[in-house]
Amino acid sequence: MRQFQQPPRGRGRPRIGYTAVQRSVGYQDLAQVLADQLGSDPRRRADLAVTAGRAWGAKVEQCEQPIASLEDARDVAITVSSELGFAPERDTASESAQQSNVRLTACPLRELARTHSEVVCGVHQGLMREVLDRNGGRDVVNVRLHPFVGPDLCVLRLETSAAALVPDPAHIPDQVGPTSRIATPSGNRVGPQLRSDPQLRNADADIAQEATQQR
């Protein structure tokens, strides 16, 4: 409430009036304060930010579409990021059977992200990871946010997870080629050996390093 003096009416002291004042919420300032409370170590700040983002993602309304493929994950990511104001665009030129990129052309906290990208982008990555996991994407895709690949552009990269690429032994034929099986000392046969990308295993930790390099 704000107090003001009403125009005088006749004799006596002027009456005091009151009017309601609507204050705008300083979300940018609030985010700045929260970012500063996460400590000075960029890697730890990134880890805490991803954890906070997951907690936020757990409160986001679950999508109706279950995730069983990379395409499903991309559609859910586009829907959620659009609802949150990131103005996503599908990057069809870079798509492959194992990867899909979503261009984020807007960010509600872009100015803060320029100075605290490991925090802001860490929160957004944790949010998206939690949303995809809750809709069945945990063993289907890995998600990573690449901040500021352009002046006002971030990219959300979705990659088919190693777990989704491992073939079911029950569906592997006995002979598909001379190098398709690896013999073991016991004489047993195992399926093709797949190595997971170390970047996928360390995606959360890499946010801090990548954000520092791009400032």
Side-chain angles (χ1 to χ4, degrees):
M1 301 291 289
R2 178 173 295 173
Q3 178 179 303
F4 68 96
Q5 191 175 66
Q6 295 182 348
R9 295 180 180 178
R11 297 180 179 180
R13 299 176 57 185
R15 300 179 62 182
I16 301 299
Y18 297 89
T19 183
V21 176
Q22 182 176 4
R23 294 183 180 273
S24 61
V25 178
Y27 289 110
Q28 190 79 17
D29 293 336
L30 175 59
Q32 175 75 60
V33 171
L34 294 176
D36 292 340
Q37 297 305 307
L38 296 181
S40 58
D41 179 63
R43 188 173 297 275
R44 174 169 172 76
R45 286 156 64 92
D47 291 341
L48 292 174
V50 171
T51 300
R54 278 191 171 274
W56 182 15
K59 298 180 181 298
V60 173
E61 184 177 353
Q62 192 162 351
C63 299
E64 296 291 335
Q65 180 179 353
I67 297 173
S69 66
L70 179 63
E71 291 75 17
D72 293 340
R74 181 199 61 219
D75 292 344
V76 170
I78 289 177
T79 297
V80 173
S81 57
S82 178
E83 292 174 351
L84 295 176
F86 289 96
E89 297 177 354
R90 179 179 172 183
D91 188 358
T92 56
S94 65
E95 288 186 352
S96 68
Q98 288 79 39
Q99 177 181 298
S100 183
N101 292 333
V102 178
R103 295 160 52 92
L104 305 179
T105 63
C107 176
L109 296 175
R110 176 173 288 161
E111 294 308 312
L112 179 61
R114 296 188 191 280
T115 57
H116 294 78
S117 55
E118 75 279 4
V119 174
V120 175
C121 300
V123 168
H124 293 158
Q125 173 168 302
L127 162 69
M128 192 58 61
R129 178 166 295 174
E130 182 66 22
V131 168
L132 294 178
D133 285 354
R134 289 176 61 211
N135 284 276
R138 183 180 302 275
D139 296 326
V140 178
V141 295
N142 290 291
V143 58
R144 184 176 181 185
L145 181 62
H146 294 268
F148 294 110
V149 299
D152 297 311
L153 176 66
C154 297
V155 171
L156 189 69
R157 175 170 295 174
L158 304 171
E159 296 174 313
T160 304
S161 69
L165 293 174
V166 175
D168 185 346
H171 296 89
I172 300 178
D174 289 338
Q175 294 293 335
V176 294
T179 61
S180 62
R181 301 290 180 171
I182 300 177
T184 62
S186 62
N188 295 329
R189 292 179 174 180
V190 298
Q193 302 300 299
L194 297 177
R195 295 186 301 171
S196 60
D197 187 342
Q199 290 183 343
L200 300 182
R201 297 195 301 268
N202 300 312
D204 295 345
D206 287 345
I207 294 179
Q209 180 179 356
E210 181 173 342
T212 302
Q213 293 173 348
Q214 297 184 14
R215 285 187 205 167

